[in-house]
Amino acid sequence: MTEFDEPAFRQRIRDFIAANAPDLPYRVGTRSPEDQAESRVLRDWSRQVYEAGFEGAEWPVEFGGRSDFRAVEELIVTEEFAKALAPTPIGAGRLAAHALLHFGTHDQQVEYLPKIRRYEHVWCQLFSEPDAGSDLASMRTTAIRDGDYFVVNGQKVWSTNAAFSDMGYLLARSDPSVAKHAGISAFAFDMSLPGVTVRPLREMTGTSDFNEVFFDDVHVPADALIGDLGQGWMIATTSLASERAGVGALVIRLRQNLDALITYAKATPSGTGTIADDPVIRQQLADFTARVEIATLMSEAAVDRRLRGKFNEADAPLIKLGFAVLNQDLSYLGIEIQGIRGALATDDPEAVDHGHWQDEFLYAKAYTISGGSNEIMRNLLGERALGLPREPKPH
Ligand SMILES: Cc1cc2nc3c(=O)[nH]c(=O)nc-3n(C[C@H](O)[C@H](O)[C@H](O)COP(=O)(O)OP(=O)(O)OC[C@H]3O[C@@H](n4cnc5c(N)ncnc54)[C@H](O)[C@@H]3O)c2cc1C
């Protein structure tokens, strides 16, 4: 294996982003396109990211991956994209590809993986339901076998990008008679099938990032089943675990935001000096500097452990929880520090930084819920990492 030239690799990513990244307004977090035109731009960009080998390089060579791929590349790509505020490929294709590569049939892999790479298909994740989020295994959407089909009925919610998706990575209850985790199956679900209704929801950020998805006697061909019948829970938890590794980019955003806030405080007149002369704000900025440094070091230590093949049960929930709390506090300071201008709407022409802080503040709540809420992270820490007694279940 040739020696890995990290500076050259980083430079290649930066050059690629500088030459190709779409000229779209930056939005915090994982957001959906605003319209079909934006969706097309993001599809095109996502395809280029795969073509350049910055995504999907770990796939088998047969499906476009590289035999000399190193795990550290993925971390570097994540870092460079975050630093450049470049959008990551749209949709849940990465998650679906993980499920297909590890549990799909060869026919499914040949059918879907090239389309994920070429961005002919945008995928969404159809897991959560109105009464099944943290307790996902209590989902009620059914997929009941009927001859050559599964007939799907029920509802999903929070489905990011569903209004722009061709395919859904669906979890549904295929056997209501067995224990709840055992009766769930996973499907490669064609969003254009008759009986599918997608209703966008508008959130407090002012954008429509989520959707409700309704299934009314949708006939899904039996060969859409991923893995074996009843294997859906294991397939989903395995692919979600592969996703949680991505908090490093968020910690980079924390530092960028803090740096921007310090620059703003130093440059903005207040009284006889600047905002940075305010004794309370100085204390707050110093406090956040320490907290962001701790979050960065924790994230780096976890990455280091992962690259050395050492698994620490506490890493993922601790970093996710730490980020979500710190990010919410910092976004609040970002609003507070502006005084009365902090009360402007995100799209107000007078809003500081084109409303970036309003967007950060409103979106910060999402991070305390998505990928497992703060409370669930605390449960994971207590029960799995510290070995504390399990929380009592309601009867
Ligand atoms: C930005 C974002 C994007 C998302 N994208 C998708 C997507 O594309 N596809 C998809 O399928 N889902 C998606 N989700 C859904 C997400 O996975 C769920 O919102 C999450 O699992 C929480 O479930 P819930 O919203 O049903 O809340 P609930 O589970 O109903 O929780 C409500 C409250 O109760 C608390 N709670 C629940 N159980 C416990 C417990 N055992 N102990 C202590 N407190 C508890 C929670 O912490 C929370 O405060 C997304 C969510 C967000 C915010």
Side-chain angles (χ1 to χ4, degrees):
M1 202 185 252
T2 52
E3 206 169 310
F4 180 54
D5 184 347
E6 184 179 325
F9 185 63
R10 284 191 187 274
Q11 193 54 49
R12 199 155 71 75
I13 303 169
R14 288 176 198 151
D15 292 346
F16 167 78
I17 293 173
N20 302 294
D23 185 19
L24 292 173
Y26 174 74
R27 291 191 205 101
V28 176
T30 305
R31 310 292 276 271
S32 281
E34 277 296 274
D35 52 33
Q36 289 296 346
E38 201 175 296
S39 157
R40 279 192 294 277
V41 171
L42 284 168
R43 273 183 193 243
D44 197 41
W45 159 247
S46 306
R47 179 181 49 73
Q48 292 178 67
V49 175
Y50 272 90
E51 273 172 5
F54 298 135
E55 185 75 52
E58 77 283 14
W59 293 13
V61 174
E62 178 189 0
F63 297 113
R66 284 190 357 254
S67 58
D68 62 350
F69 168 78
R70 299 161 171 86
V72 71
E73 286 179 33
E74 197 181 303
L75 297 162
I76 294 170
V77 169
T78 306
E79 264 180 43
E80 292 299 331
F81 271 58
K83 284 185 198 160
L85 304 184
T88 48
I90 176 179
R94 183 191 175 92
L95 196 69
H98 186 276
L100 292 165
L101 280 166
H102 291 85
F103 304 101
T105 61
H106 191 254
D107 282 354
Q108 286 173 333
Q109 293 171 347
V110 170
E111 167 73 14
Y112 295 118
L113 294 173
K115 289 179 178 160
I116 292 178
R117 272 200 112 79
R118 294 196 297 266
Y119 259 82
E120 281 169 47
H121 283 167
V122 170
W123 285 66
C124 60
Q125 178 194 332
L126 299 171
F127 290 8
S128 306
E129 299 184 4
D131 290 318
S134 303
D135 184 15
L136 186 60
S138 63
M139 68 178 62
R140 290 203 288 238
T141 295
T142 50
I144 305 299
R145 183 79 189 241
D146 181 9
D148 292 339
Y149 294 90
F150 285 90
V151 182
V152 179
N153 280 291
Q155 186 203 337
K156 298 287 169 180
V157 74
W158 293 102
S159 320
T160 311
N161 284 310
F164 298 93
S165 292
D166 312 280
M167 296 292 300
Y169 174 9
L170 171 73
L171 289 187
R173 188 161 297 288
S174 50
D175 186 351
S177 69
V178 296
K180 60 183 191 178
H181 292 84
I184 294 170
S185 296
F187 299 88
F189 182 85
D190 179 350
M191 295 293 285
S192 68
L193 287 171
V196 180
T197 307
V198 178
R199 280 197 208 139
L201 296 167
R202 194 154 287 273
E203 294 96 50
M204 67 180 174
T205 44
T207 48
S208 278
D209 302 309
F210 313 127
N211 302 267
E212 295 176 299
V213 181
F214 298 88
F215 311 94
D216 187 10
D217 277 338
V218 183
H219 281 61
V220 180
D223 62 6
L225 178 71
I226 304 175
D228 293 333
L229 201 64
Q231 249 191 339
W233 185 254
M234 184 271 290
I235 295 174
T237 45
T238 314
S239 32
L240 286 175
S242 78
E243 268 229 314
R244 282 198 186 132
V247 182
L250 302 178
V251 177
I252 290 172
R253 289 296 300 134
L254 278 177
R255 185 171 292 276
Q256 286 170 327
N257 274 336
L258 178 60
D259 289 347
L261 217 47
I262 293 171
T263 305
Y264 173 77
K266 284 184 187 164
T268 308
S270 174
T272 54
T274 66
I275 293 177
D277 291 306
D278 181 305
V280 175
I281 288 178
R282 292 166 68 86
Q283 294 275 355
Q284 284 173 313
L285 290 173
D287 179 39
F288 276 105
T289 301
R291 290 175 68 187
V292 169
E293 186 65 22
I294 292 166
T296 307
L297 292 173
M298 279 170 55
S299 171
E300 285 172 0
V303 164
D304 184 56
R305 273 193 283 276
R306 192 151 67 87
L307 287 177
R308 287 188 289 120
K310 298 201 167 190
F311 179 71
N312 181 353
E313 190 83 63
D315 279 347
L318 199 58
I319 292 169
K320 160 76 171 58
L321 174 64
F323 164 77
V325 173
L326 176 50
N327 180 60
Q328 208 170 15
D329 292 350
L330 184 62
S331 71
Y332 184 70
L333 179 66
I335 293 292
E336 200 186 18
I337 211 170
Q338 300 173 33
I340 194 69
R341 289 181 79 191
L344 295 173
T346 314
D347 57 359
D348 191 297
E350 296 293 317
V352 171
D353 236 347
H354 307 288
H356 169 71
W357 288 101
Q358 279 79 353
D359 201 33
E360 283 282 3
F361 176 71
L362 294 171
Y363 195 85
K365 194 80 188 158
Y367 284 125
T368 70
I369 305 169
S370 64
S373 68
N374 286 3
E375 290 76 16
I376 297 301
M377 292 301 118
R378 290 187 180 104
N379 282 349
L380 289 177
L381 277 172
E383 294 174 11
R384 297 212 193 142
L386 303 179
L388 300 177
R390 291 185 71 83
E391 61 163 329
K393 297 272 175 238
H395 296 291

